[in-house]
Amino acid sequence: MGENRTILPPRAIASVRHRKNVQPKADFCAFWVPEALTSRRGKPSFTAHMPPATGPRELKKGSAELLILSLVDDQARHGYDIARMIEVRSRGALAFHAASMYPLLYRLERRGLIKGRWVEKTGERRRRMYRITAKGREVLTAQRHGWREFVEAVNRVTTGHA
Amino acid sequence: MRDWPRLVRSAIGATALTAAVEQAVVEELAQHLEDRYRHLRSQGWTEDEAVERSLGELDGEELMRRLADVSGAC
């Protein structure tokens, strides 16, 4: 998969893992699209049953948006806080690196789903804090619903329970 | 104290962003990497390891590719 890649030089990674016994963490952007979701022609094989975001690429993108919108729904957060919350709440299963996250934050802001503003505190560097907008909350509600339907559908298939 | 903005600029190289946007992006990324560095240090990583891993979050080429269609957003 094109985005399933490491961003440290291989030698550096091997060195760090050897010293710290660090297990490779799923790169978030590669995590959400199992090959099974893609037909041999590279198109979604069950589009009709997927959430509003249709194909695998859209599903992946929509999932990243869902995570970020969820985290800035209840309170304003800066980028690092968002990344840490994703890592902590997923118990380390998901990682969202800076090179992936900030462009997505800017894209969400440009679409009017979140609003960022610089906040200064005495004795600290200013930080850009992001908060969801009314339009973003509408999208979040729809994405949560779509994601729940998708998970429930997969569960019904994998467990055999209707 | 490490000059994180300079390290970020070095990592991303020349950009096609406007000066104002580039400044904002660099400042935000520098803050992120500094936070990451402090967290790693608090977890027992050595200074060199923490810097290496923090900078490892930045792939300048990938970042610029992703930023290309959102320039002007911040």
Side-chain angles (χ1 to χ4, degrees), chain B:
Chain B
M1 191 169 143
R2 206 165 289 272
D3 187 350
W4 290 102
R6 185 183 63 77
L7 291 172
V8 170
R9 285 187 187 282
S10 173
I12 66 177
T15 76
L17 303 174
T18 66
V21 171
E22 182 179 304
Q23 170 63 30
V25 170
V26 167
E27 183 175 350
E28 194 166 21
L29 288 171
Q31 183 72 65
H32 181 105
L33 297 189
E34 184 175 347
D35 287 341
R36 182 73 175 148
Y37 167 81
R38 288 181 175 174
H39 173 73
L40 291 170
R41 290 287 285 145
S42 73
Q43 298 297 305
W45 294 77
T46 69
E47 186 170 342
D48 286 346
E49 288 170 341
V51 169
E52 182 180 44
R53 284 184 66 86
S54 298
L55 288 175
E57 285 208 19
L58 275 191
D59 177 328
E61 188 176 329
E62 175 71 5
L63 179 64
M64 286 304 105
R65 187 181 66 77
R66 290 174 183 267
L67 280 176
D69 65 335
V70 292
S71 61
C74 52

Coordinates of all heavy atoms in Angstrom, one line a residue, chain B:
Chain B
M1 N 18.4 25.3 24.7 CA 17.1 24.9 24.1 C 17.2 24.7 22.6 O 17.8 25.5 21.9 CB 16.0 26.0 24.4 CG 14.6 25.6 24.2 SD 13.5 26.8 24.9 CE 12.2 26.8 23.6
R2 N 16.7 23.6 22.2 CA 16.8 23.3 20.8 C 16.0 24.2 19.9 O 14.9 24.7 20.3 CB 16.3 21.9 20.5 CG 17.0 21.1 19.4 CD 16.7 19.7 19.5 NE 17.5 19.1 20.6 CZ 18.7 18.6 20.4 NH1 19.3 18.7 19.2 NH2 19.4 18.1 21.4
D3 N 16.5 24.6 18.7 CA 15.8 25.5 17.8 C 14.9 24.6 16.9 O 15.2 24.3 15.7 CB 16.8 26.3 17.0 CG 16.2 27.3 16.1 OD1 15.0 27.3 16.0 OD2 17.0 28.2 15.6
W4 N 13.7 24.3 17.4 CA 12.8 23.4 16.6 C 12.4 24.1 15.3 O 12.3 23.4 14.3 CB 11.6 23.0 17.5 CG 12.0 22.1 18.6 CD1 12.3 22.3 19.9 CD2 12.4 20.7 18.4 NE1 12.7 21.2 20.5 CE2 12.7 20.2 19.7 CE3 12.3 19.8 17.3 CZ2 13.1 18.8 19.9 CZ3 12.7 18.5 17.5 CH2 13.1 18.0 18.8
P5 N 12.0 25.4 15.3 CA 11.7 26.0 14.0 C 12.7 25.8 12.9 O 12.4 25.5 11.8 CB 11.4 27.4 14.4 CG 11.0 27.4 15.8 CD 11.9 26.3 16.4
R6 N 14.0 26.0 13.3 CA 15.1 25.8 12.3 C 15.1 24.4 11.8 O 15.3 24.1 10.7 CB 16.4 26.2 13.0 CG 17.6 26.2 12.0 CD 18.9 26.5 12.7 NE 19.3 25.5 13.7 CZ 19.8 24.3 13.4 NH1 20.0 24.0 12.1 NH2 20.1 23.5 14.3
L7 N 15.0 23.4 12.8 CA 15.0 22.0 12.4 C 13.8 21.7 11.4 O 14.0 20.9 10.5 CB 14.9 21.1 13.6 CG 16.2 21.1 14.5 CD1 15.9 20.4 15.8 CD2 17.4 20.5 13.8
V8 N 12.7 22.3 11.7 CA 11.5 22.0 10.8 C 11.8 22.6 9.4 O 11.6 21.9 8.4 CB 10.3 22.6 11.4 CG1 9.1 22.6 10.4 CG2 9.8 21.9 12.7
R9 N 12.3 23.8 9.4 CA 12.6 24.4 8.1 C 13.6 23.6 7.3 O 13.5 23.4 6.1 CB 13.2 25.8 8.3 CG 12.1 26.8 8.7 CD 12.7 28.3 8.7 NE 11.7 29.2 9.2 CZ 10.7 29.7 8.5 NH1 10.5 29.3 7.3 NH2 9.8 30.5 9.1
S10 N 14.6 23.1 8.0 CA 15.6 22.2 7.4 C 15.0 21.0 6.8 O 15.3 20.5 5.8 CB 16.7 21.9 8.4 OG 17.6 21.0 7.9
A11 N 14.0 20.4 7.6 CA 13.4 19.2 7.2 C 12.5 19.3 5.9 O 12.4 18.5 5.1 CB 12.6 18.6 8.3
I12 N 11.8 20.4 5.9 CA 10.8 20.6 4.8 C 11.4 21.3 3.6 O 10.8 21.2 2.5 CB 9.5 21.4 5.3 CG1 9.9 22.8 5.6 CG2 8.9 20.7 6.4 CD1 8.6 23.6 6.0
G13 N 12.5 22.0 3.8 CA 13.2 22.6 2.6 C 12.4 23.7 2.0 O 11.5 24.3 2.7
A14 N 12.6 24.0 0.8 CA 11.9 25.1 0.1 C 10.5 24.7 -0.1 O 10.2 23.6 -0.5 CB 12.6 25.4 -1.2
T15 N 9.6 25.6 0.0 CA 8.2 25.3 -0.2 C 7.6 26.3 -1.2 O 8.1 27.4 -1.4 CB 7.4 25.5 1.2 OG1 7.1 26.8 1.5 CG2 8.1 24.8 2.3
A16 N 6.4 26.0 -1.6 CA 5.7 26.9 -2.5 C 4.6 27.7 -1.8 O 3.8 28.4 -2.4 CB 5.0 26.1 -3.6
L17 N 4.7 27.6 -0.4 CA 3.7 28.3 0.4 C 4.0 29.7 0.4 O 5.2 30.1 0.3 CB 3.7 27.7 1.8 CG 3.4 26.2 1.9 CD1 3.6 25.7 3.4 CD2 2.0 25.8 1.4
T18 N 3.0 30.5 0.7 CA 3.3 32.0 1.0 C 4.1 32.1 2.3 O 4.1 31.2 3.1 CB 2.0 32.8 1.1 OG1 1.3 32.3 2.3 CG2 1.1 32.6 -0.1
A19 N 4.8 33.2 2.4 CA 5.7 33.4 3.6 C 4.8 33.3 4.9 O 5.3 32.6 5.8 CB 6.4 34.7 3.5
A20 N 3.7 33.9 4.9 CA 2.9 33.9 6.1 C 2.4 32.5 6.4 O 2.4 32.1 7.6 CB 1.7 34.8 5.9
V21 N 1.9 31.7 5.4 CA 1.4 30.4 5.7 C 2.6 29.5 6.1 O 2.5 28.7 7.0 CB 0.8 29.8 4.4 CG1 0.5 28.3 4.6 CG2 -0.5 30.6 4.1
E22 N 3.7 29.6 5.4 CA 4.9 28.8 5.8 C 5.3 29.1 7.2 O 5.6 28.2 8.0 CB 6.0 29.1 4.8 CG 7.3 28.2 5.2 CD 8.4 28.5 4.2 OE1 8.2 28.4 3.0 OE2 9.5 28.9 4.7
Q23 N 5.3 30.3 7.6 CA 5.7 30.7 9.0 C 4.7 30.0 10.0 O 5.2 29.5 11.0 CB 5.6 32.2 9.1 CG 5.8 32.7 10.6 CD 7.1 32.3 11.2 OE1 8.1 32.3 10.5 NE2 7.1 32.1 12.5
A24 N 3.4 30.1 9.7 CA 2.5 29.4 10.6 C 2.6 27.9 10.7 O 2.6 27.3 11.7 CB 1.0 29.8 10.1
V25 N 2.9 27.3 9.5 CA 3.0 25.9 9.5 C 4.3 25.5 10.3 O 4.3 24.5 11.1 CB 3.1 25.4 8.0 CG1 3.6 23.9 8.0 CG2 1.8 25.5 7.3
V26 N 5.4 26.2 10.0 CA 6.6 25.9 10.7 C 6.5 26.1 12.2 O 6.9 25.2 13.0 CB 7.8 26.8 10.2 CG1 9.0 26.7 11.1 CG2 8.2 26.4 8.8
E27 N 5.8 27.1 12.6 CA 5.6 27.3 14.1 C 4.8 26.2 14.7 O 5.1 25.7 15.8 CB 4.9 28.7 14.3 CG 4.7 29.1 15.7 CD 4.2 30.5 15.9 OE1 4.1 31.2 14.9 OE2 3.8 30.8 17.0
E28 N 3.8 25.8 14.0 CA 2.9 24.8 14.6 C 3.6 23.4 14.6 O 3.5 22.7 15.6 CB 1.6 24.7 13.7 CG 0.5 23.9 14.4 CD -0.8 24.1 13.7 OE1 -0.8 24.5 12.5 OE2 -1.8 23.9 14.4
L29 N 4.3 23.1 13.6 CA 5.1 21.8 13.5 C 6.2 21.8 14.6 O 6.4 20.8 15.2 CB 5.6 21.6 12.1 CG 4.6 21.2 11.0 CD1 5.3 21.2 9.7 CD2 4.0 19.9 11.3
A30 N 6.8 23.0 14.7 CA 7.9 23.1 15.7 C 7.4 22.8 17.1 O 8.0 22.1 17.9 CB 8.6 24.4 15.6
Q31 N 6.2 23.4 17.4 CA 5.6 23.2 18.7 C 5.3 21.7 18.9 O 5.5 21.1 20.0 CB 4.3 24.0 18.8 CG 3.6 23.9 20.2 CD 4.4 24.7 21.2 OE1 4.6 25.9 21.2 NE2 5.0 23.9 22.2
H32 N 4.7 21.1 17.9 CA 4.4 19.7 17.9 C 5.6 18.8 18.2 O 5.6 18.0 19.1 CB 3.8 19.2 16.6 CG 3.3 17.8 16.5 ND1 2.0 17.4 16.6 CD2 4.0 16.7 16.4 CE1 1.9 16.1 16.5 NE2 3.2 15.6 16.4
L33 N 6.7 19.1 17.5 CA 7.9 18.3 17.7 C 8.5 18.5 19.1 O 9.0 17.6 19.7 CB 8.9 18.6 16.6 CG 8.5 18.2 15.1 CD1 9.7 18.3 14.2 CD2 7.9 16.8 15.1
E34 N 8.4 19.7 19.5 CA 9.0 20.0 20.8 C 8.2 19.3 21.9 O 8.7 18.7 22.9 CB 9.0 21.5 21.1 CG 9.6 21.8 22.5 CD 9.7 23.3 22.7 OE1 9.5 24.1 21.7 OE2 10.0 23.7 23.8
D35 N 6.9 19.2 21.8 CA 6.0 18.5 22.7 C 6.3 17.0 22.6 O 6.4 16.3 23.7 CB 4.5 18.7 22.3 CG 4.0 20.1 22.7 OD1 4.6 20.7 23.5 OD2 3.0 20.5 22.1
R36 N 6.5 16.5 21.4 CA 6.8 15.1 21.3 C 8.2 14.8 21.9 O 8.3 13.8 22.6 CB 6.9 14.8 19.8 CG 7.2 13.3 19.5 CD 6.0 12.5 19.8 NE 6.2 11.1 19.3 CZ 5.6 10.0 20.0 NH1 4.9 10.2 21.0 NH2 5.9 8.8 19.6
Y37 N 9.1 15.6 21.7 CA 10.5 15.5 22.3 C 10.4 15.4 23.8 O 10.9 14.5 24.5 CB 11.4 16.6 21.8 CG 12.7 16.7 22.6 CD1 13.7 15.9 22.3 CD2 12.8 17.7 23.6 CE1 14.9 16.0 23.0 CE2 14.0 17.8 24.3 CZ 15.0 17.0 24.0 OH 16.2 17.1 24.7
R38 N 9.6 16.4 24.4 CA 9.5 16.4 25.9 C 8.8 15.1 26.4 O 9.2 14.6 27.4 CB 8.7 17.6 26.3 CG 9.5 18.9 26.1 CD 8.7 20.1 26.6 NE 9.5 21.3 26.5 CZ 9.1 22.5 26.7 NH1 7.8 22.7 27.1 NH2 9.9 23.6 26.7
H39 N 7.8 14.7 25.7 CA 7.1 13.5 26.1 C 8.1 12.3 26.1 O 8.1 11.5 27.0 CB 5.9 13.2 25.2 CG 5.3 11.9 25.4 ND1 4.5 11.6 26.5 CD2 5.3 10.7 24.7 CE1 4.1 10.4 26.5 NE2 4.5 9.8 25.4
L40 N 8.9 12.1 25.0 CA 9.8 11.0 24.9 C 10.9 11.1 26.0 O 11.2 10.1 26.6 CB 10.4 11.0 23.5 CG 9.5 10.7 22.3 CD1 10.2 10.9 21.0 CD2 9.1 9.2 22.4
R41 N 11.3 12.3 26.3 CA 12.3 12.4 27.3 C 11.8 12.0 28.7 O 12.4 11.4 29.5 CB 12.8 13.9 27.4 CG 13.7 14.3 26.2 CD 15.1 13.7 26.2 NE 15.9 14.4 27.2 CZ 16.8 13.8 27.9 NH1 17.0 12.5 27.8 NH2 17.6 14.4 28.8
S42 N 10.5 12.4 28.9 CA 9.8 12.0 30.1 C 9.6 10.5 30.2 O 9.4 9.9 31.3 CB 8.5 12.7 30.3 OG 7.5 12.1 29.4
Q43 N 9.7 9.8 29.1 CA 9.5 8.4 29.1 C 10.8 7.6 29.1 O 10.9 6.4 29.0 CB 8.8 7.9 27.8 CG 7.4 8.5 27.6 CD 6.4 8.0 28.7 OE1 6.3 6.8 28.9 NE2 5.9 8.9 29.5
G44 N 11.9 8.4 29.3 CA 13.2 7.7 29.5 C 14.1 7.6 28.2 O 15.2 7.1 28.3
W45 N 13.7 8.2 27.1 CA 14.5 8.2 25.9 C 15.6 9.1 26.1 O 15.5 10.2 26.8 CB 13.7 8.6 24.7 CG 12.6 7.6 24.3 CD1 11.4 7.5 25.0 CD2 12.6 6.6 23.3 NE1 10.7 6.4 24.4 CE2 11.4 5.9 23.4 CE3 13.5 6.3 22.3 CZ2 11.0 4.9 22.5 CZ3 13.2 5.2 21.5 CH2 12.0 4.6 21.6
T46 N 16.8 8.8 25.5 CA 17.9 9.7 25.6 C 17.6 10.9 24.7 O 16.7 10.9 23.9 CB 19.2 9.0 25.0 OG1 19.1 8.9 23.6 CG2 19.5 7.7 25.7
E47 N 18.4 12.0 24.9 CA 18.2 13.2 24.1 C 18.3 12.9 22.6 O 17.4 13.4 21.9 CB 19.2 14.3 24.5 CG 19.0 15.6 23.9 CD 19.8 16.7 24.5 OE1 20.4 16.5 25.6 OE2 20.0 17.7 23.8
D48 N 19.3 12.2 22.2 CA 19.5 12.0 20.8 C 18.4 11.1 20.2 O 17.9 11.4 19.1 CB 20.9 11.3 20.5 CG 22.0 12.2 20.7 OD1 21.8 13.4 20.7 OD2 23.2 11.7 20.8
E49 N 18.0 10.1 21.0 CA 16.9 9.3 20.5 C 15.6 10.0 20.4 O 14.8 9.9 19.4 CB 16.7 8.1 21.5 CG 17.8 7.1 21.4 CD 17.7 6.0 22.6 OE1 17.0 6.3 23.6 OE2 18.3 5.0 22.4
A50 N 15.3 10.9 21.4 CA 14.1 11.7 21.4 C 14.1 12.6 20.2 O 13.0 12.8 19.5 CB 14.0 12.4 22.7
V51 N 15.2 13.3 19.9 CA 15.3 14.2 18.8 C 15.1 13.4 17.5 O 14.3 13.8 16.6 CB 16.6 14.9 18.7 CG1 16.8 15.6 17.4 CG2 16.7 15.9 19.9
E52 N 15.7 12.2 17.4 CA 15.6 11.4 16.2 C 14.2 11.0 15.9 O 13.7 11.1 14.8 CB 16.5 10.2 16.3 CG 16.5 9.3 15.1 CD 17.5 8.1 15.2 OE1 17.4 7.5 16.3 OE2 18.2 7.8 14.3
R53 N 13.5 10.5 16.9 CA 12.2 10.0 16.8 C 11.2 11.2 16.5 O 10.2 11.0 15.8 CB 11.7 9.2 18.0 CG 12.3 7.9 18.1 CD 11.8 7.1 19.2 NE 10.4 6.8 19.1 CZ 9.9 5.7 18.5 NH1 10.7 4.9 17.9 NH2 8.6 5.5 18.5
S54 N 11.4 12.3 17.2 CA 10.6 13.5 16.9 C 10.7 13.9 15.5 O 9.6 14.1 14.8 CB 10.9 14.6 17.9 OG 10.8 14.2 19.2
L55 N 11.9 14.1 15.0 CA 12.1 14.5 13.6 C 11.6 13.5 12.7 O 11.2 13.8 11.5 CB 13.5 14.8 13.4 CG 14.1 16.1 14.0 CD1 15.6 16.2 13.8 CD2 13.3 17.3 13.5
G56 N 11.5 12.2 13.1 CA 11.0 11.1 12.3 C 9.6 11.3 11.9 O 9.1 10.6 11.0
E57 N 8.9 12.1 12.7 CA 7.5 12.4 12.4 C 7.3 13.3 11.2 O 6.2 13.4 10.6 CB 6.8 13.0 13.6 CG 6.5 12.1 14.7 CD 5.3 12.5 15.5 OE1 4.5 13.3 15.0 OE2 5.1 12.1 16.6
L58 N 8.4 13.9 10.7 CA 8.4 14.8 9.6 C 9.0 14.2 8.4 O 10.2 13.8 8.4 CB 9.1 16.1 9.9 CG 8.4 17.2 10.7 CD1 9.2 18.4 10.6 CD2 7.0 17.4 10.1
D59 N 8.2 14.0 7.4 CA 8.8 13.6 6.1 C 8.5 14.9 5.2 O 7.4 15.1 4.8 CB 8.1 12.4 5.5 CG 8.6 12.0 4.2 OD1 8.9 12.9 3.4 OD2 8.6 10.8 3.8
G60 N 9.5 15.7 5.0 CA 9.3 16.9 4.3 C 8.6 16.8 3.0 O 7.7 17.5 2.7
E61 N 9.0 15.8 2.2 CA 8.5 15.6 0.9 C 7.0 15.3 1.0 O 6.1 15.8 0.3 CB 9.2 14.5 0.1 CG 8.8 14.4 -1.3 CD 9.7 13.4 -2.0 OE1 10.9 13.2 -1.6 OE2 9.2 12.7 -2.9
E62 N 6.7 14.3 1.9 CA 5.3 13.9 2.1 C 4.5 15.1 2.6 O 3.3 15.3 2.1 CB 5.3 12.7 3.0 CG 3.9 12.2 3.4 CD 3.2 11.5 2.3 OE1 3.8 11.4 1.2 OE2 2.0 11.2 2.4
L63 N 5.0 15.8 3.5 CA 4.3 16.9 4.1 C 4.0 17.9 3.0 O 2.8 18.4 3.0 CB 5.1 17.5 5.2 CG 4.5 18.7 5.9 CD1 3.2 18.4 6.6 CD2 5.5 19.4 6.9
M64 N 4.9 18.3 2.2 CA 4.7 19.3 1.2 C 3.7 18.8 0.2 O 2.9 19.6 -0.3 CB 6.0 19.6 0.5 CG 7.0 20.4 1.3 SD 6.2 22.0 1.9 CE 5.9 21.6 3.6
R65 N 3.7 17.5 -0.1 CA 2.7 17.0 -1.1 C 1.3 17.1 -0.5 O 0.4 17.5 -1.2 CB 3.0 15.5 -1.4 CG 2.2 14.9 -2.5 CD 2.5 13.4 -2.7 NE 2.2 12.6 -1.5 CZ 0.9 12.2 -1.2 NH1 -0.1 12.6 -2.0 NH2 0.7 11.4 -0.2
R66 N 1.2 16.8 0.8 CA -0.1 16.9 1.4 C -0.6 18.3 1.6 O -1.8 18.6 1.6 CB -0.1 16.2 2.8 CG 0.0 14.7 2.6 CD 0.2 14.0 4.0 NE 0.3 12.6 3.9 CZ -0.6 11.7 4.0 NH1 -1.9 12.1 4.2 NH2 -0.4 10.4 4.0
L67 N 0.4 19.2 1.8 CA 0.0 20.6 2.0 C -0.3 21.3 0.7 O -0.9 22.4 0.7 CB 1.2 21.3 2.7 CG 1.3 21.2 4.2 CD1 2.6 21.9 4.7 CD2 0.1 21.7 5.0
A68 N 0.1 20.8 -0.4 CA 0.0 21.5 -1.7 C -1.4 21.9 -2.0 O -1.6 23.0 -2.5 CB 0.5 20.6 -2.8
D69 N -2.4 21.1 -1.6 CA -3.7 21.5 -1.9 C -4.5 22.2 -0.8 O -5.7 22.4 -0.9 CB -4.5 20.3 -2.4 CG -4.7 19.3 -1.3 OD1 -3.9 19.3 -0.3 OD2 -5.7 18.5 -1.3
V70 N -3.8 22.5 0.3 CA -4.5 23.2 1.4 C -3.7 24.5 1.7 O -4.1 25.1 2.7 CB -4.6 22.3 2.6 CG1 -5.5 21.2 2.4 CG2 -3.2 21.9 3.1
S71 N -2.8 24.9 0.9 CA -2.1 26.2 1.2 C -3.1 27.3 1.3 O -4.0 27.4 0.5 CB -1.0 26.4 0.2 OG -1.6 26.6 -1.1
G72 N -2.8 28.2 2.2 CA -3.7 29.3 2.4 C -4.8 29.1 3.4 O -5.6 29.9 3.7
A73 N -4.8 27.8 4.0 CA -5.9 27.5 4.9 C -5.6 28.1 6.3 O -6.5 28.3 7.1 CB -6.0 26.0 5.1
C74 N -4.3 28.3 6.6 CA -4.1 28.8 8.0 C -3.5 30.2 8.1 O -3.3 30.8 7.1 CB -3.1 27.8 8.7 SG -1.6 27.6 7.7

